[in-house]
């Protein structure tokens, strides 16, 4: 499913983030930027050990912030590492998750990146309920694209049918509210 915000295409797809042919993929990282499991483990495996060598030099990353590295063996030229909140059920969660998307998109613009793919940050090991996370992700991306030009494609990559269906429903609701 896709929509157009200004000149940017924003789409949700089912797929594997490590296989995306875009300028940058986003990693749902941990504060030490170690390979870890989930999306992060898969990205580090696909990129090769040079990615961890570069991550080691970055001095970690705070929750809600983002750092950029090269993509090495990935099709993507860059990896943007952002650290999602561990879900606690407080208002802070939403702010921090929104910051992950905003700061990753800002970093993309600063590096002249035209296409970027995100996973559903915080919805795995970090326990953020999928539907709540989808609302924050989709609203934040749309708001950013309304205010910023320069990106051609923003893609949200969902790993399974259930995650895709939840995001599709949330995106339809948000589009209806916008009309
Ligand atoms: N492509 C797209 N989505 C994926 C893939 C993939 N290859 N693999 C898993 N997902 P998680 P978090 C989905 O746990 O919750 C790591 O160990 C997955 O189904 O990777 O932000 C880090 O080092 C889920 O919906 O990220 C941190 O310690 C979503 O991606 C911690 O986990 C995010 O799941 C970060 O936890």
């Amino acid at each position: 499913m896709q929509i157009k915000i200004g000149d940017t295409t924003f789409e949700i797809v089912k797929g594997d983030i490590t296989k995306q042919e875009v300028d940058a993929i986003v990693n749902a990282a941990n504060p030490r930027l170690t390979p870890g499991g989930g999306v992060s483990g898969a990205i580090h495996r696909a990129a090769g050990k040079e990615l961890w060598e570069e991550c080691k030099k970055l001095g970690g990353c705070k929750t809600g912030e983002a750092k950029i590295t090269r993509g090495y063996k990935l099709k993507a030229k860059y990896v943007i590492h952002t650290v999602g909140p561990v879900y606690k059920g407080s208002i802070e969660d939403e702010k921090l998750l929104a910051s992950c998307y905003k700061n990753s998109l800002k970093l993309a613009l600063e590096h002249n990146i035209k296409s970027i793919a995100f996973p559903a940050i915080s919805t795995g090991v970090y326990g953020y309920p999928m539907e709540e996370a989808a609302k924050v992700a989709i609203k934040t991306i749309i708001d950013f694209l309304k205010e910023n030009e320069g990106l051609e494609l923003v893609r949200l990559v969902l790993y399974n049918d259930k995650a895709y269906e939840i995001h599709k429903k949330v995106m339809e609701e948000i589009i209806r509210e916008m009309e």
Side-chain angles (χ1 to χ4, degrees), residues 15-18 27-31 34-43 82-85 118-128 130 157-160 163:
D16 181 341
I17 193 89
T18 64
N27 180 20
N30 62 59
T34 55
V39 177
S40 180
I43 290 174
T82 188
V83 181
F118 285 90
I121 298 161
S122 281
T123 63
V125 175
Y126 283 178
Y128 214 117
M130 188 68 76
V157 181
L158 292 322
Y159 205 40
N160 54 44

Side-chain angles (χ1 to χ4, degrees), residues 23-24 67-69 77-78 80 104-114:
D23 295 340
K67 298 229 172 143
I68 193 163
T69 65
K77 187 174 176 200
Y78 297 103
I80 293 177
S104 299
L105 290 164
K106 268 193 216 160
L107 208 47
L109 284 181
E110 284 164 18
H111 286 79
N112 204 25
I113 285 163
K114 299 289 174 201

